[in-house]
Amino acid sequence: MNILLLGGGGREHTFAWKFSNDPGCTRLFIAPGNAGTAECGTNIDLGVNDFPAIKEFCLKNDIHMLVVGPEEPLVRGIVDFFKNDPELNGVAVIGPSAAGAQLEGSKAFAKKFMERHDIPTARYREVSNLEDGVAFLKSLQAPYVLKADGLAAGKGVLILDDLAEASAALETMLAGQFGEASRRVVIEEFLSGIEYSVFVLTDGQHYKILPEAKDYKRIGEGDTGLNTGGMGAVSPVPFVTPELWEKTETRVIKPTVAGLAAEKIDYLGFIFFGLINVNGDPYVIEYNCRMGDPETEVVFPRLKNHLVDLFQQTLNGQLASVHVDTEPEVAATVMLTAGGYPEQYRKGDRMVLPQPLPGSLFLHAGTKIAGGQLVTNGGRVLAITSFGKTIDEAVGKSLAAAETVKFEGKYFRRDIGKDL
Ligand code: AMP
Ligand code: GLY
């Protein structure tokens, strides 16, 4: 099977690494990819949202399967684009339809969906004018959670400590701080607890649960400072006990998959549940319509199944008969970022990596080859994943490996997993 993978971050290098060890994958192309994916297949200089160019590439290169990493092409309807074009009949697509991707593409849609299916989530109101919003804010306790309705590259959630600040922030959002994405805002009650991420693969009727993970979103140690795309992750998550798993599956996962089916929303692919444990009960913080980054960097290394086989069973509606086989050891990943990230940062700094280290995987995020030289090419540069019998052992190996990587401005958190 010839595969085209869309995306170019650490998540996509992890997909590409899995495919490169997969007997079901004959040729692998990655668009646009990075310096890491180039070692697993062939990088193609195509934009992930350029559907006509992706179509042409698939037809010319006899692609059988299109695997979509990031959310934006899904929300923009790449799955529908492929389904509705008879010339593309021969290309199976792993990802939800635009209607399904609304779970991530519109916070208001996701909240209403959860309301319809009685899925636990924070109390909320969807507002498009300041007066309604301030009235609702007054009914809540601090801190206040404001979410741009649409996609905002992970930056659209603001948490504010007092009412005046929250009202001012709401005004700025509604005035277009995040463009069209924040003309509608979801205001939520603040939930206190510890977060975890759960992933399922679904064929629209059945689902299989993949290993869970916890990611670390803030730039600073001790979970301080600005939000980032993710500074590290571990899997499994010790506080996700069998009891919490059971509640997560019955109260959240089952009604979500059943709700999509009942509403006849086409959904084939990954659902990422961003969850919070509030006194032993799971609540949904957000849905994503794709795998997480950097969660994939710990979830996939623990997954023993081949992806091509899993995807074929998904496409055939045969997921029910699949056994998900998981490595019991702990996987931890530490993200190395460019100085200044998540604010302004430089690109193009030369990088030096050590020889391959046994037990650690170097998963490229923002890297590329320029003039024959490996250089930084993004805020999140490199994820280093290691296995261990304990979280400490796995994180310790990744930290030791992180010390050996050289590039100007390198930064990473040394406290990944320390709170578990
Ligand atoms: P989201 O993009 O929806 O995942 O939100 C980003 C981050 O904001 C989450 O990972 C949480 O840490 C935090 N957050 C979002 N919604 C809430 C909420 N209702 N209560 C507490 N924290 C929240
Ligand atoms: N790590 C969170 C995300 O992928 O959105």
Side-chain angles (χ1 to χ4, degrees):
M1 155 133 7
N2 298 332
I3 298 174
L4 173 61
L5 169 65
L6 296 186
R11 169 181 51 214
E12 286 76 23
H13 187 191
T14 317
F15 270 87
W17 166 77
K18 280 287 276 176
F19 284 133
S20 67
N21 296 303
D22 189 326
C25 176
T26 317
R27 298 206 64 191
L28 175 65
F29 299 93
I30 311 96
N34 58 36
T37 63
E39 306 208 332
C40 307
T42 308
N43 285 351
I44 306 298
D45 189 16
L46 281 181
V48 298
N49 296 313
D50 189 350
F51 301 171
I54 294 169
K55 167 181 173 177
E56 198 186 315
F57 182 85
C58 287
L59 294 177
K60 279 205 179 126
N61 293 278
D62 196 22
I63 297 297
H64 306 112
M65 187 185 276
L66 177 71
V67 178
V68 186
E71 63 279 9
E72 204 180 332
L74 295 168
V75 172
R76 288 176 179 234
I78 193 163
V79 173
D80 312 75
F81 176 90
F82 269 65
K83 282 225 169 98
N84 295 334
D85 187 335
E87 285 186 273
L88 290 167
N89 266 343
V91 190
V93 190
I94 303 298
S97 65
Q102 284 295 94
L103 282 185
E104 176 165 2
S106 165
K107 303 267 188 202
F109 174 89
K111 293 301 262 190
K112 282 181 268 193
F113 177 85
M114 289 186 266
E115 220 167 30
R116 287 196 293 277
H117 300 286
D118 215 9
I119 296 166
T121 189
R123 211 154 56 85
Y124 80 103
R125 183 155 308 163
E126 171 192 342
V127 300
S128 48
N129 79 67
L130 187 61
E131 214 179 5
D132 287 353
V134 172
F136 185 64
L137 283 170
K138 284 184 177 156
S139 75
L140 299 173
Q141 310 268 344
Y144 304 94
V145 182
L146 306 178
K147 300 186 172 183
D149 175 55
L151 289 186
K155 297 195 167 70
V157 176
L158 302 181
I159 300 184
L160 300 135
D161 284 325
D162 75 67
L163 187 62
E165 257 182 340
S167 306
L170 176 63
E171 187 169 11
T172 315
M173 283 176 98
L174 290 172
Q177 183 183 9
F178 301 103
E180 279 312 302
S182 68
R183 299 278 178 199
R184 264 201 306 187
V185 172
V186 167
I187 303 176
E188 280 189 14
E189 159 193 42
F190 182 85
L191 298 175
S192 282
I194 184 160
E195 289 174 58
Y196 60 109
S197 307
V198 166
F199 305 90
V200 307
L201 182 61
T202 180
D203 56 22
Q205 298 291 328
H206 318 96
Y207 62 86
K208 284 290 157 179
I209 302 179
L210 305 179
E212 80 282 8
K214 179 177 190 321
D215 83 337
Y216 291 79
K217 287 201 169 78
R218 303 294 198 91
I219 188 72
E221 291 180 5
D223 288 328
T224 52
L226 293 174
N227 257 330
T228 70
M231 297 298 294
V234 298
S235 174
V237 182
F239 68 80
V240 187
T241 57
E243 195 192 353
L244 184 58
W245 255 126
E246 209 273 320
K247 288 181 187 172
T248 305
E249 184 166 11
T250 3
R251 297 181 191 175
V252 177
I253 299 175
K254 273 196 183 137
T256 298
V257 175
L260 290 166
E263 295 189 21
K264 302 204 165 18
I265 296 174
D266 245 340
Y267 205 113
L268 182 152
F270 296 101
I271 311 176
F272 165 167
F273 300 84
L275 300 162
I276 187 163
N277 173 9
V278 182
N279 301 320
D281 290 320
Y283 285 77
V284 177
I285 290 276
E286 64 164 350
Y287 286 116
N288 293 309
C289 60
R290 46 154 179 103
M291 283 299 292
D293 192 350
E295 290 93 333
T296 304
E297 287 90 310
V298 290
V299 171
F300 278 10
R302 290 190 62 220
L303 182 68
K304 293 188 187 166
N305 303 61
H306 289 304
L307 288 181
V308 171
D309 183 49
L310 275 180
F311 290 161
Q312 268 171 332
Q313 304 287 2
T314 308
L315 291 161
N316 296 335
Q318 299 291 326
L319 258 186
S321 60
V322 168
H323 172 71
V324 174
D325 199 4
T326 304
E327 163 63 48
E329 283 213 330
V330 176
T333 200
V334 172
M335 187 65 78
L336 278 57
T337 59
Y341 174 81
E343 296 183 280
Q344 282 224 329
Y345 58 83
R346 291 208 315 224
K347 290 184 185 178
D349 284 313
R350 286 172 71 125
M351 299 176 65
V352 182
L353 301 188
Q355 291 301 311
L357 299 174
S360 291
L361 276 169
F362 285 71
L363 297 163
H364 292 233
T367 69
K368 69 172 183 182
I369 303 285
Q373 173 66 45
L374 180 64
V375 298
T376 64
N377 190 38
R380 292 193 293 171
V381 175
L382 185 75
I384 304 180
T385 297
S386 310
F387 278 106
K389 297 219 169 351
T390 61
I391 293 177
D392 267 358
E393 187 188 336
V395 174
K397 284 187 200 165
S398 286
L399 291 176
E403 299 291 355
T404 67
V405 173
K406 296 198 177 80
F407 64 89
E408 184 70 33
K410 174 185 78 173
Y411 169 78
F412 55 96
R413 275 180 64 171
R414 291 181 165 78
D415 67 338
I416 302 303
K418 291 278 188 280
D419 55 335
L420 296 175

